[in-house]
Amino acid sequence: MPYHEFKCSECIPERKKHAVIKGEGEDLTSCLPLGYLNTIPGTISERGCAFCGAKHVIGTPMKDVIHLCHGPVGCTYDTWQTKRYISDNDNYQFKYTFATDMKEKDIVFGAEKLLKQNIIDAFKAFPEIKRMSIYQTCASALIGDDIDAIAKEVMGEMPDVDIFVCNSPGFAGPSQSGGHHLINIAWVNQKVGTFEPKITSDYVINYVGEYNIQGDQEVMVDYFNRMGIQVLSTFTGNGSYDDLRGMHRADLNVLECARSAEYICNELRVRYGTPRMDIDGFGFKPLSESLLKVGMFFGLEKEAQAIIDEEIARWKPEFDWYARRLKGVKVCLWPGGSKLWHWAHVIHDEMNVDVVSLYTKFGHQGDMEKGIARCAEGALAIDDPNELEGIEAMKELKPDIILTGVRPGEVAKKMRVQYLNAHAYHNGPYKGFEGWVRFARDIYNAVYSPIHQLSGLDISKDEIDTDNRFMTRQMISDAKIDIKAAEASDEKEYTGDYDCVTKLRGKKYPKLENQVSSID
């Protein structure tokens, strides 16, 4: 296993052990970079902070909550609307953000009075919202403001409101992952067990580590409901504050993103004996296996299999249309944490693309272990890369597309490399059977974009082909496939709706309704 030393980082020798190339026949004992360590000074890391991990990733997706940041307004602005955490209550948490907007005088004299007034003003401005989460920042932590005491004081004066306090300042961990841990444990300590939910099924789960990016949660909950399973709460996408207070009443914690939310599952297992089951909502095979696992836990295998058969029959021909045309496309898989290993193997096995590199900014060793184990030989694996290393990797690997976040994605576009937003998606949802088709479609649309093909031409010096002016994506992609085989199949392009989520809201589920009547 040769460590990969980037030329741009030769002046920082410690970076050498943070990148490896997976060699032939190598296993994890010899092919693992260092990871989840404090950022090396001088590398200009692109990591998020612990405050971001707590508020932006986990806290903000709760839908019926005033999310108040106790700190400078910049902390609030940087964690607002940069991910598409939609909800079925008109996206309240997405439309509004709240900050105490601490100034220099507040740092000098303290900001507890400012915080209390902001809490009261926020509840008055939105009297229909009775729940609040307050997030500590570096500024309020360093001056020692007692946020917990202020929250208790307000709850004493306003008995109809409930407030959750998350003390996760930006410096509280090596990356945003530190904030994931802190908010997980804080929620269990402060809120779980303080509310008794209504149980409407014999089969009850918490759906954990799911943030409803462009509707992912609503798609998965639809599958569970069709099986007859009550989703008591979702931690935290499209989740309700009070439902999450009742997490202790579930029969099973179904975990999607282990990197951000395994901590609360483990605590619930210790404190309440609730078992944990890890699943994967991405890809036909992983999703099918996951639904069957959940079904087997409750004795609902037939119900799970019926959904799988129906969905695959509907969506597999459309997925295959894209998979045929994506064969050999070179992908750099550069997301945050768990998608590193959720996607590493399945996009290769099902979409026929080649993963030439993977990286994580805040993932732990376990994430890198699973990602490297699932990717092909020759892939470049990088921990906590900086912008210059990303640029150097793109020049060496020459990928067709990068699956990453906005910041490195915009850099890639300037280098004429297409990217899809792996964090917030382009045209999601990407979970579910239909979602997987949408993901393949978005990759296809990006790679074979006619405008993208033209973007590499310099009209001041390059020769322009004037005989073939008109070009479509399919004309470009079909030049490399067996047309007769494609025409002989039942494959076709995506035929789903632009919005495949809204129609799920208000849907009736006979298996759940029958259980409600028998329970009553």
Side-chain angles (χ1 to χ4, degrees), residues 156-225:
E157 297 174 4
M158 303 173 67
D160 60 335
V161 307
D162 197 85
I163 302 173
F164 166 65
V165 176
C166 179
N167 292 308
S168 178
F171 54 73
S175 71
Q176 64 194 67
S177 186
H180 302 159
H181 189 184
L182 289 169
I183 193 171
N184 273 236
I185 302 306
W187 187 263
V188 175
N189 288 340
Q190 295 180 40
K191 297 304 173 186
V192 172
T194 63
F195 179 80
E196 288 302 319
K198 182 178 180 181
I199 304 300
T200 60
S201 171
D202 296 325
Y203 320 108
V204 185
I205 68 170
N206 293 315
Y207 188 22
V208 183
E210 165 52 53
Y211 305 106
N212 202 34
I213 300 173
Q214 288 200 18
D216 276 350
Q217 180 259 7
E218 296 174 75
V219 169
M220 294 296 291
V221 168
D222 175 64
Y223 297 149
F224 295 136
N225 288 167

Side-chain angles (χ1 to χ4, degrees), residues 51-200:
F51 160 78
C52 176
K55 178 182 182 288
H56 177 47
V57 176
I58 295 181
T60 302
M62 279 193 284
K63 65 184 179 181
D64 51 358
V65 181
I66 293 171
H67 296 282
L68 176 64
C69 166
H70 185 37
V73 73
C75 299
T76 304
Y77 185 78
D78 190 51
T79 54
W80 180 43
Q81 288 193 339
T82 52
K83 279 194 178 179
R84 298 164 185 170
Y85 298 132
I86 66 172
S87 62
D88 57 13
N89 67 335
D90 197 28
N91 299 318
Y92 171 81
Q93 81 297 343
F94 201 49
K95 293 192 294 184
Y96 302 101
T97 191
F98 301 83
T100 55
D101 189 19
M102 288 175 64
K103 304 291 188 183
E104 193 171 315
K105 64 180 177 64
D106 302 309
I107 302 297
V108 176
F109 298 108
E112 291 182 354
K113 289 182 180 179
L114 174 71
L115 172 61
K116 182 177 179 180
Q117 190 59 51
N118 271 263
I119 295 171
I120 295 170
D121 289 347
F123 279 127
K124 286 182 177 178
F126 294 91
E128 72 279 10
I129 304 296
K130 302 297 183 182
R131 303 293 180 257
M132 176 182 287
S133 291
I134 306 176
Y135 305 90
Q136 186 185 50
T137 63
C138 295
S140 53
L142 287 170
I143 65 172
D145 276 358
D146 193 340
I147 301 175
D148 295 273
I150 298 299
K152 289 177 183 177
E153 188 176 322
V154 173
M155 285 190 285
E157 297 174 4
M158 303 173 67
D160 60 335
V161 307
D162 197 85
I163 302 173
F164 166 65
V165 176
C166 179
N167 292 308
S168 178
F171 54 73
S175 71
Q176 64 194 67
S177 186
H180 302 159
H181 189 184
L182 289 169
I183 193 171
N184 273 236
I185 302 306
W187 187 263
V188 175
N189 288 340
Q190 295 180 40
K191 297 304 173 186
V192 172
T194 63
F195 179 80
E196 288 302 319
K198 182 178 180 181
I199 304 300
T200 60

Side-chain angles (χ1 to χ4, degrees), residues 116-398:
K116 182 177 179 180
Q117 190 59 51
N118 271 263
I119 295 171
I120 295 170
D121 289 347
F123 279 127
K124 286 182 177 178
F126 294 91
E128 72 279 10
I129 304 296
K130 302 297 183 182
R131 303 293 180 257
M132 176 182 287
S133 291
I134 306 176
Y135 305 90
Q136 186 185 50
T137 63
C138 295
S140 53
L142 287 170
I143 65 172
D145 276 358
D146 193 340
I147 301 175
D148 295 273
I150 298 299
K152 289 177 183 177
E153 188 176 322
V154 173
M155 285 190 285
E157 297 174 4
M158 303 173 67
D160 60 335
V161 307
D162 197 85
I163 302 173
F164 166 65
V165 176
C166 179
N167 292 308
S168 178
F171 54 73
S175 71
Q176 64 194 67
S177 186
H180 302 159
H181 189 184
L182 289 169
I183 193 171
N184 273 236
I185 302 306
W187 187 263
V188 175
N189 288 340
Q190 295 180 40
K191 297 304 173 186
V192 172
T194 63
F195 179 80
E196 288 302 319
K198 182 178 180 181
I199 304 300
T200 60
S201 171
D202 296 325
Y203 320 108
V204 185
I205 68 170
N206 293 315
Y207 188 22
V208 183
E210 165 52 53
Y211 305 106
N212 202 34
I213 300 173
Q214 288 200 18
D216 276 350
Q217 180 259 7
E218 296 174 75
V219 169
M220 294 296 291
V221 168
D222 175 64
Y223 297 149
F224 295 136
N225 288 167
R226 284 158 65 184
M227 292 166 63
I229 296 171
Q230 176 189 358
V231 180
L232 185 64
S233 70
T234 302
F235 188 88
T236 54
N238 200 34
S240 171
Y241 186 101
D242 284 346
D243 289 345
L244 286 161
R245 293 166 66 196
M247 293 179 79
H248 59 296
R249 292 304 182 193
D251 302 315
L252 175 68
N253 289 317
V254 175
L255 176 62
E256 186 83 49
C257 178
R259 178 44 45 235
S260 65
E262 66 176 351
Y263 317 104
I264 194 168
C265 284
N266 294 342
E267 283 297 315
L268 290 169
R269 180 170 54 192
V270 171
R271 302 187 192 194
Y272 299 99
T274 314
R276 159 185 165 177
M277 179 181 290
D278 291 37
I279 68 164
D280 190 342
F282 298 107
F284 280 70
K285 186 171 183 285
L287 175 55
S288 298
E289 292 172 347
S290 295
L291 293 178
L292 281 172
K293 278 201 307 183
V294 176
M296 290 174 66
F297 182 88
F298 291 113
L300 299 172
E301 299 98 319
K302 290 183 179 179
E303 287 80 357
Q305 191 62 57
I307 293 170
I308 294 165
D309 293 343
E310 177 185 344
E311 294 290 323
I312 289 179
R314 169 66 179 88
W315 297 111
K316 191 64 164 59
E318 299 184 18
F319 177 80
D320 288 343
W321 190 93
Y322 295 103
R324 182 187 295 273
R325 290 159 175 83
L326 292 175
K327 184 176 177 61
V329 167
K330 293 166 66 176
V331 174
C332 281
L333 180 54
W334 292 352
S338 64
K339 289 190 182 76
L340 175 77
W341 45 270
H342 276 308
W343 290 355
H345 60 308
V346 71
I347 61 175
H348 172 74
D349 296 343
E350 296 190 0
M351 294 187 188
N352 300 318
V353 302
D354 295 329
V355 178
V356 297
S357 177
L358 48 84
Y359 83 33
T360 177
K361 294 178 183 176
F362 60 84
H364 295 203
Q365 289 292 84
D367 301 301
M368 191 62 85
E369 287 175 3
K370 288 182 276 190
I372 291 175
R374 296 176 180 186
C375 72
E377 294 174 352
L380 171 62
I382 320 167
D383 168 71
D384 187 23
N386 58 52
E387 184 176 305
L388 294 177
E389 290 174 346
I391 291 172
E392 189 173 319
M394 283 187 275
K395 288 180 178 178
E396 290 181 9
L397 299 170
K398 295 179 171 53

